[in-house]
Amino acid sequence: MRNACTKWKDPLLEAALTENVNDELRHHLLQCADCAAELQALRARRQQMDALLPLVARAAEPSPNLGARIMAAAEAAGRGRRPNLWRVWALAGAGTAVVIAAILVFALNRQPSLTETELRQSQALAHWQAPTDVLLRFPGQGILNSTPKLGESYLTMPGVGLGQERPQGLKP
């Protein structure tokens, strides 16, 4: 049906249902092959519907064991497609083992690709300090950077060492 024929849509449906075609529509059908074919298709569809209408009107009941047949068919279809649970776990374990083995092989077979020059440059870079780091130092930094051993103190007392006596008033 062409765009120019859209005004004939409703009269075509009415003509297909009632078999009555007015003169104006008849004249259009003689000139338009698309609308004539559409009318024939609508009439064929109406005849199919008319043939099926008595079956629908009778409302025939399904067989009493229809539900059981449907359930049996669904269970049979489900059994064929569902894999065993142990196979799924075995496949997952095997896949995990392969991935771990690949990672280990890759990690253990890696060889350092740094040359001697690159190694020295990276060590120098690791010990690099900004020129302004000197300004951030303070007199007690040495004390804070070291950790005393058990029994020692952060502060050292002059004149007290191993094998020397402590001045009076100092307790160990």
Side-chain angles (χ1 to χ4, degrees):
M1 185 178 287
R2 294 175 287 183
N3 285 339
C5 300
T6 55
K7 72 174 189 172
W8 298 106
K9 185 176 181 179
D10 289 335
L12 280 174
L13 285 172
E14 187 178 330
L17 291 174
T18 62
E19 295 290 331
N20 294 332
V21 179
N22 63 22
D23 291 335
E24 195 176 347
L25 179 59
R26 185 175 291 119
H27 179 69
H28 177 71
L29 290 174
L30 290 173
Q31 294 177 355
C32 182
D34 290 341
C35 288
E38 181 73 20
L39 180 61
Q40 291 301 320
L42 289 171
R43 285 182 177 163
R45 191 173 302 142
R46 187 199 72 204
Q47 288 173 355
Q48 288 175 343
M49 299 288 277
D50 288 345
L52 293 174
L53 187 60
L55 296 175
V56 174
R58 275 190 286 164
E61 295 273 331
S63 65
N65 61 352
L66 177 66
R69 287 192 335 237
I70 291 173
M71 292 303 291
E75 286 175 3
R79 265 187 253 123
R81 287 190 231 161
R82 192 169 153 195
N84 291 339
L85 191 57
W86 67 270
R87 286 184 183 170
V88 172
W89 282 105
L91 208 62
T96 304
V98 167
V99 168
I100 290 173
I103 290 171
L104 286 175
V105 165
F106 178 74
L108 294 177
N109 285 338
R110 273 186 72 196
Q111 296 180 0
S113 59
L114 293 176
T115 63
E116 193 65 37
T117 307
E118 291 172 333
L119 186 59
R120 269 189 310 228
Q121 289 173 346
S122 62
Q123 287 174 342
L125 185 61
H127 296 292
W128 179 82
Q129 293 181 352
T132 56
D133 284 352
V134 174
L135 300 175
L136 297 175
R137 289 191 184 146
F138 56 94
Q141 188 171 7
I143 295 172
L144 294 178
N145 288 343
S146 64
T147 304
K149 294 181 179 135
L150 188 62
E152 292 182 350
S153 171
Y154 276 108
L155 304 173
T156 58
M157 308 209 49
V160 178
L162 292 176
Q164 295 180 355
E165 280 192 33
R166 294 183 183 268
Q168 289 183 346
L170 291 178
K171 295 180 182 177

